[in-house]
Amino acid sequence: MENIEKTKKMTTQPVAKLINELAVPTIISMLITSIYNMADTFFVAQINSSSATAAVGVAFALMALIQALGFFCGHGSGNYMSRMLGAGKIENAKRMAVTGFVLAMILGLCLSCAGLLFIDEFAMILGSTKTMMPYTTAYLRYILLGAPFMCAGLVMNNQLRFQGNAMFAMIGITTGGILNIFLDPLFIFGLGLGVAGAAIATLLSQAISFIILLVGIFKSDSLNYSIKLISLDKYYIQQIFKGGLPSLARQGLGSISTAVLNLCTGQFGDAAIAGVSIVTRVMQFCCSVVTGFGQGFQPVCGFNFGARKYDRVKEGFWYAVKVGTIFTLIVSIIAFIFAPQILNAFQGNDQLVVSVGSATLRFQCLSFSLTAFIIMSNMMLQVCGKTVNATILAASRQGLFLIPAVIILPAIMGLLGIETAQMIADIASFVICIPMIKNFFAAISQEQNS
């Protein structure tokens, strides 16, 4: 009965009201997720070593990889669940919920074992230099230990959200993020553990988030996990791939592009890596607001697409694009003006870090307002099962365009090529996004009128 009432709510209440209601907790969840890395970067920077700061930046590629696996299973299962709930097929949604969780634990465990066995080689692949290696491996070791729980936690977070229970998801993620902020200085400085202390703080915080999210699954009106419902058969795995491939492409290529960016920036020194890494975290933090708002739109989109209410899908999309664009324009103006001050807050003792980071941040601000349209388009195509276009679009900004840019441009423009690469990737992604959305809306309009 609760699921029936929820479906009615998601398909009848005003779209803007629903998105706003769901977006607030998801925005908070996304901000807290970003704070994990922001906090580590900030407190490690106080060690006064550009190599230590850069090492945390290199480890960000691992975090992106963990997120890729978590979002792959979480979005893959969650997208399917929201459509099934909208269509009234509760049993299918229940089986998918537990299957997505178990698959995430398995993938996280595989990553953990492989990474710990070959940790030095793994660090080099992620872009670590020899001077950074002691810091990098110290940080990676503990993050790898927590990979299974981090992956599964992301699945629970997304499944709760796709069922319209974003508040429970927010509580789990927020608790861990706040705890991380307090544990970072305790372990780094109070216990004298340095970079390893930041990783331990993150590991413990993520473990507590996992426990809270698991409790939320059983205490809320969400679909509970049951061992007897595990269905690692061809159908459910295919559905996870179909719904999660865009997320895997986006986050996975994000991990690869971060590693490539670190390797290509390394020729300009550890300070350059530190500067670019700080900007990556700052922009991810700002982008998490847009992503969080888009995640508030996703369940509304999924339920209404499943119920064939396409006008509500369109209305929700354009509302989300409008709000996201206004926000990114405001952020771009502020960050462009105060770029040096933002970098100084993280690494004020190294002016080369500040110089490289400020230039990189300002170039990214020039294209940042385009990301709202890109993100909302990607999310809508993914939820509606348009896997090919969603995957291409998801891969474009952080992979298909960014990776060639950071490889080719430095050979032509030097350090300026690194600083402008993300801006160029954003513009190219925006251009290919336009015809995809135009064709999608034309297709659903034709289906609605037929």
Side-chain angles (χ1 to χ4, degrees), residues 21 47 53 64 86 90 122 130 198 207 222 224 235 254 276 292 298 325 381 394 400 406 408 414 416 423 425 445 450:
E21 179 183 319
I47 297 175
T53 305
I90 309 301
F122 196 48
K130 290 183 179 180
S222 300
N224 294 338
Y235 173 75
V276 173
Q298 278 185 303
T325 301
L381 292 172
L400 296 180
V406 298
I408 296 170
L416 181 62
M423 177 188 70
S445 294
S450 60

Side-chain angles (χ1 to χ4, degrees), residues 67-204:
Q67 289 177 357
L69 297 176
F71 285 139
F72 168 66
C73 298
H75 289 171
S77 59
N79 286 324
Y80 177 86
M81 289 165 62
S82 68
R83 294 198 303 272
M84 291 301 101
L85 289 171
K89 298 178 179 179
I90 309 301
E91 187 65 22
N92 291 48
K94 287 181 178 180
R95 291 186 178 278
M96 179 57 83
V98 67
T99 300
F101 175 82
V102 172
L103 183 60
M105 288 292 288
I106 292 171
L107 292 175
L109 184 61
C110 291
L111 174 62
S112 179
C113 292
L116 290 170
L117 283 173
F118 304 100
I119 191 165
D120 288 341
E121 293 82 358
F122 196 48
M124 293 299 292
I125 291 172
L126 294 178
S128 179
T129 63
K130 290 183 179 180
T131 53
M132 292 158 48
M133 184 62 75
Y135 300 108
T136 306
T137 54
Y139 190 88
L140 290 180
R141 185 170 289 109
Y142 293 100
I143 300 301
L144 284 166
L145 284 172
F149 304 102
M150 293 180 191
C151 288
L154 287 167
V155 169
M156 291 187 287
N157 176 42
N158 282 283
Q159 287 183 354
L160 283 164
R161 181 172 56 80
F162 274 104
Q163 294 176 74
N165 292 324
M167 185 61 68
F168 285 94
M170 181 200 74
I171 292 171
I173 296 295
T174 301
T175 303
I178 293 174
L179 184 62
N180 189 53
I181 293 173
F182 286 99
L183 291 181
D184 262 342
L186 173 64
F187 285 117
I188 295 171
F189 305 111
L191 299 179
L193 297 176
V195 173
I200 294 171
T202 298
L203 172 60
L204 291 176

Side-chain angles (χ1 to χ4, degrees), residues 122-307:
F122 196 48
M124 293 299 292
I125 291 172
L126 294 178
S128 179
T129 63
K130 290 183 179 180
T131 53
M132 292 158 48
M133 184 62 75
Y135 300 108
T136 306
T137 54
Y139 190 88
L140 290 180
R141 185 170 289 109
Y142 293 100
I143 300 301
L144 284 166
L145 284 172
F149 304 102
M150 293 180 191
C151 288
L154 287 167
V155 169
M156 291 187 287
N157 176 42
N158 282 283
Q159 287 183 354
L160 283 164
R161 181 172 56 80
F162 274 104
Q163 294 176 74
N165 292 324
M167 185 61 68
F168 285 94
M170 181 200 74
I171 292 171
I173 296 295
T174 301
T175 303
I178 293 174
L179 184 62
N180 189 53
I181 293 173
F182 286 99
L183 291 181
D184 262 342
L186 173 64
F187 285 117
I188 295 171
F189 305 111
L191 299 179
L193 297 176
V195 173
I200 294 171
T202 298
L203 172 60
L204 291 176
S205 301
Q206 292 275 11
I208 290 172
S209 286
F210 172 87
I211 294 170
I212 294 173
L213 288 167
L214 190 59
V215 171
I217 290 287
F218 289 95
K219 293 295 184 181
S220 68
D221 60 351
S222 300
L223 303 176
N224 294 338
Y225 296 148
S226 173
I227 296 177
K228 65 181 180 180
L229 292 177
I230 298 176
S231 298
L232 293 177
D233 58 35
K234 185 178 179 180
Y235 173 75
Y236 287 100
I237 298 299
Q238 282 181 336
Q239 292 302 316
I240 289 177
F241 266 89
K242 185 177 180 180
L245 188 59
S247 296
L248 182 63
R250 178 175 58 251
Q251 297 296 138
L253 281 173
S255 176
I256 294 171
S257 66
T258 300
V260 173
L261 181 61
N262 291 331
L263 289 167
C264 293
T265 308
Q267 62 184 301
F268 303 105
D270 289 358
I273 296 178
V276 173
S277 297
I278 291 170
V279 173
T280 299
R281 280 160 176 70
V282 170
M283 295 309 288
Q284 185 204 39
F285 182 78
C286 297
C287 199
S288 64
V289 176
V290 183
T291 303
F293 197 81
Q295 289 180 345
F297 159 65
Q298 278 185 303
V300 178
C301 178
F303 272 85
N304 285 281
F305 187 81

